[in-house]
């Protein structure tokens, strides 16, 4: 688990430093100037893009369809997509309810972001932290242990509001009873209003937050990490990829939120997702049939579009896109900065849970607890591991594993460079 820290690369030439300084000053998106925002964005998007360009030494020989740097905006695109005069103003015009209902500052007496809604006379709260992904990477287990901390309120993990319910999605694959309870409180035709989201935390955390002003709650919806803003092509005609991310929207509304990712070796993540979603046809042979078509689908997209476009639109490419971690993580880093994004490797979480738990508490600025208390929390049963299903399904064939490793290798290389940690190469050779 790693708290990402700002770095300048010692190998920059004087000219490169000048370019970085120019872009940081000239092209950093401006925040709305009509209020005092808490929290600062430590790594502007342009600086991170240039940092990637200068630092990454990518081996693309294993994937002829991959375009180096295809996810990074060209310099002309940067200025046209993120106008220095407008900043995030387009988001305010598209989502006026959010900017009207969510205040710029929160109540100082609460550690969790809460405020008094003078219209309803209710205490309204948002999550203190977001566990945004990735799916089938151990989020359920990490969440179950995290809410074991005495300061963290055990709210239902996945309301899926930011990426799905806010856009009219009404399904209840999980939390059906809790969703229906909040619907009765909100009394609206769907779950898209911010009132629904406020009511979610009022229902499952409100009383505890009022009693303990040092308590916090979170949102563990994994859809938040990899889904784009809805209708971005309609809202931004002519854009070749989403000019703003969901991370951008959430940052302008909650700039001090803490973001947590947990990542897993991408091939095993894909296989686990296949076993979870493929119904009765779930074994290694069915995976060997599904994986090649998924890779072919994504490679076809990459030949015509940027990898950021393909990762967010994922045109019928099954689960393969969700292992392209660098695309999604980069957007969250560009929005929130390195000090507010925390990355966990599932391998480390399984091998050294006590130390990883302590690092997570430090990142979240929660009260430290004893090692013995942590051991009691983390030794509980691993949640949602699918161990029995995996045993009966069998191991992934060598040929399928190699196919997927070759596809993911360049993305892993960029991820390892960004995080300055070669363990994110996952030893693909």
């Amino acid at each position: 688990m790693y708290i990402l820290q700002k770095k300048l690369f010692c190998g920059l030439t004087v000219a490169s430093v000048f370019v970085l300084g120019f872009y940081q000053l000239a092209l950093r998106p401006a925040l709305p100037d009509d209020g005092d925002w808490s929290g600062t964005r430590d790594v502007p998007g342009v600086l991170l893009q240039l940092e990637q360009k200068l630092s990454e030494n990518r081996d693309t020989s294993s994937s002829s369809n991959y375009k180096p740097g295809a996810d990074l905006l060209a310099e002309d695109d940067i200025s046209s997509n993120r106008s220095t005069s407008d900043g995030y103003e387009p988001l305010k015009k598209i989502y006026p309810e959010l900017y009207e209902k969510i205040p710029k500052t929160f109540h100082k007496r609460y550690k969790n972001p809460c405020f008094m809604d003078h219209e309803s006379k209710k205490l309204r709260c948002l999550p203190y932290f977001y566990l945004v992904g990735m799916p089938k990477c151990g989020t359920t287990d990490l969440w179950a242990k995290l809410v074991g901390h005495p300061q963290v309120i055990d709210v239902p993990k996945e309301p899926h509001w930011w990426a799905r319910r806010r856009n009219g999605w009404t399904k209840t694959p999980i939390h059906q009873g809790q969703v229906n309870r909040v619907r009765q409180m909100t009394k609206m035709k769907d779950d898209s209003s911010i009132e629904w989201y406020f009511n979610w935390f009022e229902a499952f955390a409100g009383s505890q937050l009022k009693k303990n002003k040092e308590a916090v709650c979170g949102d563990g919806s994994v859809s938040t990490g990899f889904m784009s803003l809805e209708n971005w092509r309609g809202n931004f005609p002519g854009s070749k990829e989403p000019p703003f991310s969901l991370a951008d929207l959430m940052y302008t509304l909650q700039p001090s939120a803490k973001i947590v990712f947990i990542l897993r070796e991408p091939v095993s993540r894909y296989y686990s997702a296949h076993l979870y979603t493929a119904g009765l046809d779930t074994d290694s042979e069915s995976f060997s049939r599904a994986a090649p078509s998924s890779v072919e689908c994504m490679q076809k997209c990459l030949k015509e579009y940027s990898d950021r476009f393909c990762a967010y639109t994922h045109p019928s490419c099954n689960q393969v896109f969700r292992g392209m971690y660098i695309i999604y993580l980069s957007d969250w880093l560009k929005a929130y900065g390195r000090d507010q994004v925390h990355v966990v490797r599932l391998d480390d979480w399984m091998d050294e849970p006590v130390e990883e738990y302590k690092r997570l508490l430090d990142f979240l600025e929660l009260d430290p607890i004893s090692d013995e208390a942590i051991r009691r929390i983390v030794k509980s049963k691993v949640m949602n591991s699918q161990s029995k299903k995996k045993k009966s399904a069998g191991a992934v064939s060598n040929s399928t594993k190699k196919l997927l490793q070759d596809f993911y290798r360049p993305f892993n290389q960029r991820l390892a460079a960004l995080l300055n940690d070669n363990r994110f190469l996952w030893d693909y050779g």
Side-chain angles (χ1 to χ4, degrees), residues 247-280:
D248 288 323
L249 175 64
M250 293 173 65
Y251 170 76
T252 64
L253 296 163
Q254 245 189 299
S256 296
K258 295 180 179 294
I259 310 300
V260 179
F261 274 87
I262 181 168
L263 304 180
R264 176 184 190 176
E265 187 276 311
V267 178
S268 60
R269 192 222 69 82
Y270 185 8
Y271 187 37
S272 180
H274 175 79
L275 296 180
Y276 186 77
T277 60
L280 297 176

Side-chain angles (χ1 to χ4, degrees), residues 129 131 139-155 208 216-218 349 357 360-361 364 366-370 372-380 383:
F129 67 91
L131 175 57
T139 61
T140 301
D141 190 62
L142 184 63
W143 178 270
K145 271 68 172 184
L146 186 54
V147 298
H149 187 279
Q151 208 172 345
V152 182
I153 300 171
D154 187 4
V155 300
Q208 295 178 70
V216 300
C217 60
W349 173 244
Y357 197 91
L360 183 57
L361 297 187
L364 294 174
L366 299 178
D367 295 339
I369 57 178
S370 69
E372 181 57 34
I374 294 176
R375 276 191 283 272
R376 286 196 298 269
I377 292 172
V378 300
K379 75 177 183 180
S380 60
M383 303 297 292

Side-chain angles (χ1 to χ4, degrees), residues 4 46 65 71 89 220 235 256:
L4 306 174
V46 174
N65 294 309
D71 65 310
E89 287 300 318
N235 288 326
S256 296

Side-chain angles (χ1 to χ4, degrees), residues 13 24 28 95 232 262 285 290 344 374 396:
T13 63
Q24 185 174 6
R28 179 171 180 166
Y95 309 106
W232 63 267
I262 181 168
E285 292 184 4
V344 185
I374 294 176
V396 178

